[in-house]
Amino acid sequence: MEQEQIQLFTIIRDQSRTLVTGRDEKALLKAVPGLANNMLWIFGHLVRTTDFLILKLSGHAMNFPADLDPYFAKGSSPADWKSSDGLKDRLLAAEEQCQKKVLAFLETADASAFAEPYKTSSGFVLSSVKESLRYNVVHEGIHLGQLQLFNKLVG
């Protein structure tokens, strides 16, 4: 797999993780008027989406915990959360495990095509791990920018 793309992915994810670990759970859960979601949702969405784009589309099981999935799946919202107690710690533990599995997979993955191409919500069609990794780097970068904005706005 392309080492430069893997390196970009890990650098961007490290920056996102640093923003999340540097805040208490109350700040991560704070809603910003006029904006959807919160910092914790954005980070959880990143972790879950990476697992989906890299592992699931490649025909492998996702490592993202099933009990966290309803919090961060596409179309979910913090407004629907019944409880968020301890969610930061649970998500960070999940992210550590997911990141290890994704990076290990990428080290040995080839560029073969997916069984079924996947069309993203933004219209991109992904048909291989290589394309998914490139798209994921863009996705991570977009949401890192959101995390940086939220980090300033939540005070």
Side-chain angles (χ1 to χ4, degrees), residues 14-32 38-43 84 86-92 146-155:
D14 289 348
Q15 290 177 22
S16 294
R17 185 184 317 104
T18 297
L19 285 170
V20 171
T21 58
R23 288 298 203 148
D24 63 28
E25 193 163 350
K26 184 178 178 181
L28 294 172
L29 294 169
K30 188 172 182 182
V32 175
N38 59 40
M39 290 180 73
L40 200 58
W41 185 91
I42 293 167
F43 189 66
S84 58
L87 191 55
K88 174 187 175 183
D89 291 338
R90 291 170 45 214
L91 180 58
L92 286 169
Q146 288 180 332
L147 284 169
Q148 291 168 332
L149 175 65
F150 271 75
N151 192 48
K152 288 181 179 183
L153 295 175
V154 299

Side-chain angles (χ1 to χ4, degrees), residues 9 11 22 30-31 37 39-40 45 60 62 76 89 95 98 100 103 109 113 124 129 133-134 141 143 146 148:
F9 165 56
I11 289 168
K30 188 172 182 182
N37 304 313
M39 290 180 73
L40 200 58
H45 168 73
H60 297 273
M62 287 178 59
S76 66
D89 291 338
E95 188 271 339
C98 290
K100 284 179 186 176
L103 291 174
F124 290 95
V129 177
L133 177 59
R134 286 181 177 170
H143 287 297
Q146 288 180 332
Q148 291 168 332

